[in-house]
Structures are given as C-alpha cells and as structure tokens.
C-alpha cells in the first residue's frame, strides 16, 4: 500500500527532529512551522510585526513633534524658531523562554510499531508540537504581563509600558461606551489612532451590547484567519473615524478587569534568536530530548498612543 503524503506540518516537524532524509530546516521553514502550530487562543503575538535585536537591552529612538504648532510663523527678514526636536531613547530587555520536549525510547518505539500503515506516528513529533504550542502561549503571556522591575529576568510587557496618564478607572463597573471613548480620547491626544481593543470575553460581550450601529461583524482577513481557517471578528466603529478590531483574550493571558487599547503598528516582536530554536539536548538514560527556546523582547513605541481601562466588572447580564 502506498504511504500517504505527509502534510506540510508533518514534513516540517520531521525535519526539525532529523528523523527523515529530507533537508534540514531553514529559517523560513521554521517560521512557517510556528505559524502552523500557533494555538488558536494566542491573539496578540501573531498580529505583531518583527524586528531584529542585537543586544540584551534592545533600544530604539523616539521623537516628538513640536506641540505648539503656531510656532511656525516668523517676522519678515528674521528666521523661524530653531527649537530642536525632542528625542528620547527607549528600551526593553531580552528574555529567555524555553520548553523541553522529551519522550522515552520505549514510548517512541511503541508509537512507531502501533501505527497503521501509511500513517505518520511519531510520539516525539507530537511532543515537539505540544511543547512548541506551550512556548508560544508562554511568549504571549509575557508580551502582556512581563515586568522587568519586579523580575530582572523578564521583559516589560504591554501592561507595564502603558503610562499612568493613559489609564481610565471603571471603579468596578461594567464597561460603558462613554468610558471607552474617554480612553480613545487619551490615545488621540497622545498622537495615536488605535486599531484594536483587547479584552476578556465578558467585556467583549459588553461591547457587543453597545448602541445599535456601533458594532458590526465581518469575516476576518488578517493573519489570524490564515492561521485558523477564518472566522468573523467584531468591529467597533470608533468616533475617531476608524474601525477597530475587538479581540477577546483568554483569561490566562490578560488579568481580570483590564481592557487594552492598542495602536498595533507601534508594537513589534524583537527576536535576538532566529524565531524559536530547536536543539538536541542530552538528558541521559533512554530519553530523546530537544530544547525549544527563544530569546526575544517587545518593542512598544509611543506609549501615549495606547490606553488601559482597568477595574472593569466583567459580569455579563
């Protein structure tokens, strides 16, 4: 009987494991594998662009326009104002994250022997898939919750970057549209035009009950649709003239009571490593093992482009 053709994910996994005669994984192949195995509950990480990081402390430069735009006039024969623009250096810290995938030689052999003809059965490949998903979910967690001040081995996450002046207190009440508009106003005053609202499921349901005409559902056409086969996404019609994605986030990633408003183009994954790296390790005895690891950080520019609504009662009536 002719063996079934391997799926693309199976092919890439086998190449990562070096258990076939196919060529080794290239960087592009590994990126594709990460896309194929990204868990459906990871929302922020797949939507961010990427930058290359070259040091343990990743730095970038931000500048501000002159807030007093009337300064452009000047007297004939004179010169306009020569005030230098304001520049600032921002930074974040590279974090090491990893998982160990291992199976015993016995378990691996049983999986191979008991496989039906024409099927791929590799307990180690399954373990690699599971641990890679675990690691991607861990990356998502620290992109939200990392706090370098509290733990020096962590990056700063989104919640740490948002400054106090960009926060709106709901005082343990359910989210209302006027309060959401207040947060959007803070973003706009800071020079931003936010693109997405991230919240836990209870708050997403509250937004769905906003006044008629403010919320609509459309087929998702961004990267998330490619990852997970496509689905409808909720859109909020912002008074700033934009249509914002409303993205439900799992409780495990976003702390209770928080609604995060982001201008997503300002956020990037900063890779010191070439995406997630897969390496052989020796655990001794009759074990097969690989280390999955990533060295990365979060680049979050222009903190005043974003906002946080906190102390939100997530109860659904």
């Amino acid at each position: 009987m002719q063996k079934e053709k391997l799926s693309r994910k199976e092919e890439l996994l086998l190449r990562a494991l070096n258990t076939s005669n196919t060529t080794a994984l290239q960087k592009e192949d590994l990126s594709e594998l990460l896309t194929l195995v990204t868990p459906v509950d990871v929302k922020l990480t797949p939507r961010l662009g990427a930058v290359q990081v070259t040091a343990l402390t990743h730095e970038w430069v931000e500048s501000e326009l002159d807030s007093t735009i009337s300064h452009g006039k000047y007297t004939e024969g004179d010169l306009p104002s020569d005030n230098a623009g304001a520049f600032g250096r921002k930074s974040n810290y590279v974090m090491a994250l990893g998982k160990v995938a291992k199976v015993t030689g016995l378990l691996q052999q049983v999986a191979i022997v008991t496989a039906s003809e024409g099927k791929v059965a590799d307990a180690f490949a399954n373990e690699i898939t599971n641990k890679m998903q675990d690691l991607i979910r861990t990356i998502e967690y620290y992109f939200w919750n990392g706090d370098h001040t509290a733990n020096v081995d962590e990056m700063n996450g989104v919640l740490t970057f948002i400054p106090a002046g960009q926060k709106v207190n709901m005082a343990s009440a359910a989210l209302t549209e006027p309060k959401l508009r207040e947060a959007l106003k803070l973003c706009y005053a800071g020079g931003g035009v936010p693109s997405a609202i991230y919240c836990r499921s209870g708050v997403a349901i509250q937004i769905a009950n906003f006044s008629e005409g403010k919320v609509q559902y459309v087929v998702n056409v961004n990267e998330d649709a490619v990852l997970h086969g496509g689905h409808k996404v909720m859109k909020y019609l912002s008074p700033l003239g934009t249509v914002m994605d409303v993205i439900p986030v799992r409780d495990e990633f976003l702390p209770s009571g928080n609604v995060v408003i982001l201008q997503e183009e300002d956020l990037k994954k900063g890779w010191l490593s070439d995406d997630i790296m897969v390496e052989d390790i020796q655990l001794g005895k009759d074990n097969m093992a690989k280390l999955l690891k990533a060295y990365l950080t979060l680049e979050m520019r222009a903190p005043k482009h974003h906002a946080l609504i906190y102390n939100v009662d997530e109860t659904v009536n």
Side-chain angles (χ1 to χ4, degrees), residues 118-285:
K119 298 288 185 180
V120 175
D122 192 320
F124 200 18
N126 290 335
E127 176 71 355
I128 285 281
T129 301
N130 291 338
K131 292 299 184 181
M132 193 168 287
Q133 292 188 21
D134 286 343
L135 181 52
I136 293 170
R137 296 178 85 250
T138 301
I139 290 170
E140 176 88 352
Y141 174 84
Y142 282 105
F143 275 164
W144 285 115
N145 300 286
D147 187 341
H148 183 75
T149 301
N151 300 283
V152 295
D153 57 352
E154 294 182 9
M155 69 176 90
N156 284 322
V158 168
L159 297 176
T160 304
F161 267 109
I162 297 176
Q166 296 299 112
K167 297 180 180 181
V168 174
N169 188 355
M170 279 304 305
S172 300
L175 181 66
T176 61
E177 191 171 4
K179 282 293 188 180
L180 177 58
R181 289 177 176 177
E182 182 181 335
L184 292 175
K185 181 181 177 182
L186 289 175
C187 299
Y188 195 73
V193 182
S195 57
I197 302 166
Y198 288 83
C199 55
R200 290 168 39 143
S201 58
V203 179
I205 294 171
Q206 293 173 3
I207 294 174
N209 292 325
F210 281 178
S211 56
E212 186 176 355
K214 293 297 184 180
V215 175
Q216 58 184 217
Y217 297 87
V218 299
V219 175
N220 197 358
V221 294
N222 65 13
E223 183 179 4
D224 193 59
V226 176
L227 291 176
H228 307 303
H231 58 276
K232 287 189 175 181
V233 64
M234 180 164 42
K235 302 278 188 176
Y236 172 70
L237 305 183
S238 164
L240 303 181
T242 60
V243 180
M244 303 176 66
D245 288 350
V246 179
I247 305 171
V249 179
R250 291 282 189 188
D251 292 0
E252 301 94 302
F253 300 123
L254 191 60
S256 175
N258 288 303
V259 177
V260 183
I261 300 168
L262 297 177
Q263 181 170 305
E264 293 170 304
E265 65 183 35
D266 293 329
L267 282 73
K268 298 286 190 299
K269 300 183 288 277
W271 292 100
L272 181 62
S273 56
D274 289 334
D275 296 315
I276 292 177
M277 298 181 291
V278 183
E279 298 179 357
D280 289 308
I281 56 173
Q282 299 296 324
L283 294 182
K285 302 182 180 180

Side-chain angles (χ1 to χ4, degrees), residues 294-311:
Y295 305 138
L296 78 166
T297 189
L298 174 69
E299 179 180 295
M300 186 167 170
R301 294 175 175 266
K304 290 184 180 180
H305 289 181
H306 320 284
L308 173 69
I309 306 174
Y310 65 102
N311 283 341

